Amino acid sequence: MYVRYIRLILTILLAGLFSTVSLSEENNSNKIYVMQAVTLNDIPIENTEYIKKHYPGITLEIFNLDDRYNLQDIVAKGLPTEPEKRDDAIAMAKERLKLIDKQRVANTFKAPMYASKYGINRVPAIVINNTCVIFGITDLRQAVAIYKRERAER
């Protein structure tokens, strides 16, 4: 139980260091310059390649709220648990940490704060241009269509 509290505090502190999401003024154009999706392991986000191809220069971020557990599993899997092998386990964990993409680690800490900032209380959720949150959609292409339709109706 104590370890969970330490992890939570560490997550909150590091998220503050890595958080770069900012609210922008509402833009009247239909140009999409940033998309972020918040999801879980068992809810994959679709059509990321389509978005990258058809919206060159777009900032696309996928935040997996389960990734902190995924990273823990990667680092801890198969480590020795015997007290006399503690130093070996620490050395192995450090080596594994070096192999993990730093942006993935940053996103792991950004995800909970990002979700809180935009009032995301269920997944999947897609945020477009820091102004529009779409819930229940995993297909980025479909999210763009909804966003453009909503913008046209204003």
Side-chain angles (χ1 to χ4, degrees):
M1 190 72 140
Y2 179 70
V3 172
R4 287 178 50 194
Y5 290 118
I6 292 173
R7 285 183 183 154
L8 176 63
I9 291 168
L10 181 62
T11 299
I12 292 168
L13 291 174
L14 290 175
L17 295 175
F18 290 115
S19 182
T20 59
V21 178
S22 62
L23 292 173
S24 65
E25 295 294 318
E26 182 112 12
N27 187 340
N28 288 330
S29 76
N30 277 334
K31 180 172 174 24
I32 296 175
Y33 55 90
V34 62
M35 286 182 82
Q36 294 106 347
V38 179
T39 191
L40 299 171
N41 283 343
D42 57 345
I43 308 173
I45 299 298
E46 303 164 357
N47 279 322
T48 56
E49 293 306 316
Y50 173 87
I51 295 299
K52 290 176 187 175
K53 179 179 178 184
H54 289 87
Y55 296 89
I58 191 170
T59 299
L60 177 61
E61 294 179 291
I62 309 295
F63 297 109
N64 181 344
L65 294 173
D66 287 334
D67 219 21
R68 61 187 168 157
Y69 303 114
N70 299 339
L71 292 174
Q72 287 175 359
D73 290 344
I74 289 169
V75 173
K77 186 177 182 179
L79 289 179
T81 56
E82 300 83 7
E84 62 273 3
K85 294 186 179 180
R86 188 191 76 165
D87 292 339
D88 293 339
I90 292 171
M92 289 171 65
K94 285 181 179 179
E95 286 304 312
R96 290 176 184 177
L97 282 171
K98 290 178 186 176
L99 300 175
I100 296 174
D101 177 43
K102 301 303 180 235
Q103 186 60 48
R104 181 177 178 186
V105 174
N107 283 349
T108 298
F109 292 108
K110 283 171 55 175
M113 287 196 60
Y114 179 80
S116 175
K117 181 175 190 167
Y118 286 102
I120 296 171
N121 55 10
R122 59 193 180 278
V123 292
I126 298 171
V127 179
I128 300 177
N129 289 350
N130 298 330
T131 60
C132 176
V133 181
I134 302 169
F135 292 99
I137 302 293
T138 59
D139 187 328
L140 295 178
R141 188 174 181 179
Q142 184 181 6
V144 167
I146 291 168
Y147 174 76
K148 287 185 176 182
R149 184 179 66 235
E150 292 293 321
R151 301 286 296 171
E153 291 175 1
R154 287 189 190 176

